[in-house]
Structures are given as C-alpha cells and as structure tokens.
Amino acid sequence: MADRTSFAKTYISVSNFMKSTALVAGEIACPLPALPPAIVSSCRQNVMVPASYPGIVQLELFPAVVARLEELRGLDEDHDGEGAQAPVQETLDIAVGFVRALPFYAPTVAVGLSREGYAVAEFHDGDEFGQVIFQPDWSIEAYHNKNGKSVLIEGGIGEQKTSDEFHRSFGFRLEA
Amino acid sequence: MTLDSCVECAKLLDGTASDDKQAVRVDDAFPHCQCEAHSVGEGSPGPVDSSEFIYRMVVSPASVDWNAKKLIEDSFRDTTLNGFSVFRDIATDDDINAIAIDRLSRKSTAKPRTVQALIRFKVESVRSIESEDVGGRLFCVYDETVPRRDETLPRVPTHVTILQRLPPAKVEDRKRLMKDGTLALYRLAEMDLVKVENFRDGMLVDLNSRSLGGDFVLPDPVAQA
C-alpha cells in the first residue's frame, strides 16, 4: 500500500503536466468548501481528484463499501452461529467516516466485523495486506504486512504517533 | 506418547473450551501438535490424516465481503483462541446437515442465517505452514468433536478443530506475530473457496432455503420453562 503513494505522486506529475497543457477539465482545486469527505481527504494529501466528466464531482468514492457497513449494522448477536457479539454501532460509525475519507488511490477494501462486534476494514493489494479494527473508544488496531514484513499499530485515531505510523505503513492518512 | 498422554489430550480437547485459551493450553501441555497422534474426539473415526481435505463453513455475512470478493481475515482469529471449526471430507451428508443446522439455528427474534460459502483446505497444506516464531509448525489439526446445540444429541464424529501455535507469552511483539501466523492460514484459504451450490450437489442450498423459510428456530427458553 505504500506503493500507492508513489502512484499518487506519479498521478500528480501527470496531472500537472496535463493541466499545464490545458488537456484536462473537471479537476478540483484544493481547498474547496463542502466537498465530500473522500475528496477533501485526497486534497489534504495534495492529490488531485479526477472527475469522470468535466464539471461533475463524484459524490462517494466507495459507495458499495459504505452501503455494506450500513448493512452490517443490522446483524444480530450470534450472526455466525458460533457466538459472535452483536455489531457495536459506534465502531461502524467510525468505519463509515474512515471509508469516506479514503483517498481514491486506496487499494481494494473489504469490510466486516470482528467476533467482538467491532468494524473491520481490510486492504488487499497483491502480496500486501492491511487490516484496521475500530474500537468504540476511537482507538484502532492496525496491522500491515508486505512480503512477510509486518507492523502492528495500536493507538487513538487522533494521536499523532498513531497517525504517523499508519501513514508510513499504509501509504495514506488515518482519518475518520 | 504414552497412554496417559492420550487420555490427557482427550481431556484437553474435549470440545467444551469457552475461555478463549484453548490454543495456549494445548500447546503448553503438548507442544508441537503432539496430540495429533491420538484420537481425541468422542465418536471420531480417528486422527486426521494429512491426505484428507477439510472444510470450513462460512456463515456470517460479516466474514465475507462479496463486493470485494474477499474473506475477512479477522474471522480466522478463532485459531488463536478456542479453535477454528471445520469438518472432514469423509463426513456423511447427515454429519454436514447436523453441523449446518447447528450453525443456522437461531432465536425467534433473530434474522435467518445462511451458509455463505465453504473453504476447502488440504490438511497437508495446513500442517506444512511453519514459522520460526514458534520453532516449527504453526497449525495443529485435531479430531476434536464438540457438543451439539441440543446436547442430548450425539456429537458429529467428523468435526475437526484447527489450533494455531502461539509464541510464548513473554515474547515481544507477540500479538503481531500471532497475526502473521493467522494471515498465513488466511492466504491458504483464499486459494480454495467453494460456492455453496457446488458442494455435494447443492445440499446446503436446500438448508439455506429452509432457513430463509423459517426453519431452525430455537425454542423460546421462557416458553420451555
């Protein structure tokens, strides 16, 4: 997932070149008020967001992921037939915020629940795997593994140390 | 291995663990999967051979994200706790029905559940995963049987438990190393996901229909009393 940052940088270079040659319309300058969180997030990371059509702003980058998180809210306790806890709604709230803040270059994300009922987001990118488990107290347990080299990050979402470690491993910022 | 250790293994793996410490307890008493040499499950046809195939039933919608086409890795964490329940390929249809019905049974207030998919593992592949962190094999495959939801019914003899071997408690970064181990089994699982309709002539499709139609509702404890 760290590679995604390089991808983003490459995109910026290409984007800037195209912009300078006036080939692209519909890109969004940063900052803009009232933008969807995903786009604001990308802007904060100095990444231009491509619009599919000139003048059209994409409202949700990962709508299916958010919809699935909303579906998971309705599961009962023991939804696995093996004694899983009921979903902890606060963790799903945090996960929805997290997914909405993901930049467009984030890898494939799958979402589910831990047996304790906490929302889980898992990223897949070839041999790279990332996992974020959201706790109701706004802390996370994030695990990242690339080619067998792994990192475990535990801490509050708003904490600088957690945020820095997360960015270093996952290649994008931790926001919710 | 002695007769005593055989009895001890059967006691340790009696299918009743509920404290999330079975993986630690078994490896502390009989490290390096020593109990695999014995048949531990009540009614089991014998220890699990490496040439066998075993299946995991995925029931919770929270354990598989069909949008992303990915299993949720965290659902494999049971291997580090009381064990990951699977069943043997030699299981009869009746055995599989019994296991599935127990998983699909629900309170009257809960929504119906369905079997989402199955994961097929070759036992040899599970047993061949190794890690320096535990000084050898990472996963043990035991013929442990478990009580049915209705404990008056006989146990399913072809139930199997996978337990992950964990680094010693004092090891730094133990949690991360445990996750490394679980990820190895997950990656193996990703390679052989079986659709419900492709398993044994779709026998689980029928059970899913029955579940959605209102079957497998547990008796209300208040009404029973």
Side-chain angles (χ1 to χ4, degrees):
Chain A
M1 273 147 255
D3 290 341
R4 295 280 165 169
T5 313
S6 351
F7 164 69
K9 283 175 186 160
T10 308
Y11 175 76
I12 294 164
S13 310
V14 173
S15 167
N16 287 343
F17 167 75
M18 293 176 83
K19 200 172 176 183
S20 69
T21 54
L23 289 174
V24 171
E27 284 184 343
I28 300 156
C30 221
L32 273 182
L35 282 179
I39 291 177
V40 173
S41 164
S42 295
C43 286
R44 284 192 203 134
Q45 293 172 66
N46 299 316
V47 176
M48 292 293 190
V49 177
S52 309
Y53 303 99
I56 303 293
V57 174
Q58 192 177 347
L59 291 173
E60 188 88 73
L61 288 180
F62 301 98
V65 182
V66 173
R68 178 168 151 79
L69 285 167
E70 295 299 340
E71 277 174 22
L72 292 175
R73 286 185 191 279
L75 292 180
D76 304 292
E77 64 171 358
D78 195 29
H79 50 81
D80 59 352
E82 292 184 320
Q85 303 290 308
V88 177
Q89 300 297 328
E90 298 93 310
T91 67
L92 285 158
D93 295 340
I94 300 165
V96 167
F98 172 78
V99 169
R100 286 195 164 136
L102 285 174
F104 73 90
Y105 55 84
T108 303
V109 57
V111 290
L113 295 172
S114 72
R115 65 199 295 274
E116 296 81 10
Y118 300 162
V120 178
E122 296 185 345
F123 296 92
H124 299 266
D125 193 0
D127 286 340
E128 214 172 336
F129 172 77
Q131 179 187 69
V132 188
I133 302 177
F134 300 92
Q135 323 271 344
D137 64 356
W138 279 79
S139 67
I140 54 152
E141 179 185 297
Y143 170 80
H144 182 263
N145 187 310
K146 185 177 183 182
N147 299 324
K149 195 179 169 194
S150 62
V151 177
L152 181 69
I153 303 158
E154 292 177 286
I157 290 177
E159 288 170 17
Q160 193 60 46
K161 185 171 173 282
T162 312
S163 180
D164 290 346
E165 286 179 357
F166 186 93
H167 193 192
R168 215 166 19 247
S169 296
F170 284 73
F172 50 87
R173 289 189 183 172
L174 172 66
E175 293 188 36
Chain B
M1 275 284 177
T2 62
L3 187 60
D4 280 351
S5 60
C6 180
V7 171
E8 280 304 309
C9 284
K11 266 191 205 167
L12 274 172
L13 290 153
D14 69 355
T16 60
S18 59
D19 61 355
D20 289 347
K21 293 192 167 69
Q22 169 135 294
V24 172
R25 198 164 39 237
V26 174
D27 202 53
D28 280 352
F30 295 100
H32 298 280
C33 310
Q34 289 174 42
C35 287
E36 282 183 347
H38 302 287
S39 185
V40 297
E42 194 181 300
S44 160
V48 185
D49 193 84
S50 288
S51 65
E52 290 185 54
F53 283 90
I54 47 179
Y55 290 86
R56 165 74 174 172
M57 237 176 241
V58 181
V59 170
S60 173
S63 299
V64 57
D65 185 335
W66 293 114
N67 294 334
K69 299 184 178 64
K70 293 286 177 190
L71 292 163
I72 297 299
E73 196 265 359
D74 190 68
S75 64
F76 287 67
R77 193 156 46 94
D78 286 350
T79 57
T80 66
L81 305 170
N82 292 329
F84 194 63
S85 275
V86 294
F87 62 88
R88 300 162 85 151
D89 196 29
I90 57 168
T92 63
D93 286 357
D94 285 345
D95 289 351
I96 296 166
N97 263 311
I99 290 172
I101 289 171
D102 273 0
R103 295 283 302 275
L104 300 178
S105 295
R106 60 186 167 93
K107 290 181 185 168
S108 56
T109 52
K111 289 180 276 301
R113 290 195 284 269
T114 55
V115 179
Q116 307 271 313
L118 295 113
I119 308 165
R120 191 173 83 139
F121 299 95
K122 184 156 194 190
V123 176
E124 185 180 33
S125 306
V126 176
R127 287 179 171 158
S128 68
I129 301 172
E130 296 194 348
S131 168
E132 287 176 8
D133 304 324
V134 293
R137 278 179 46 197
L138 254 175
F139 295 97
C140 310
V141 184
Y142 300 111
D143 65 333
E144 183 186 42
T145 59
V146 294
R148 301 284 311 277
R149 277 209 193 242
D150 175 351
E151 293 194 14
T152 62
L153 295 172
R155 294 183 176 201
V156 175
T158 46
H159 178 276
V160 165
T161 299
I162 301 178
L163 286 177
Q164 184 175 331
R165 297 187 54 236
L166 310 177
K170 289 174 187 165
V171 167
E172 195 183 344
D173 263 357
R174 183 172 185 254
K175 197 168 179 182
R176 177 180 63 79
L177 299 175
M178 283 163 58
K179 281 180 171 281
D180 288 347
T182 311
L183 181 62
L185 186 68
Y186 172 78
R187 288 199 159 136
L188 193 62
E190 276 208 308
M191 290 156 55
D192 215 348
L193 196 61
V194 180
K195 288 182 178 174
V196 169
E197 52 268 33
N198 294 340
F199 179 76
R200 292 206 186 182
D201 298 326
M203 64 176 286
L204 294 171
V205 175
D206 296 337
L207 285 183
N208 282 347
S209 301
R210 284 177 57 194
S211 180
L212 293 170
D215 270 5
F216 315 133
V217 176
L218 296 166
D220 186 343
V222 177
Q224 259 190 331

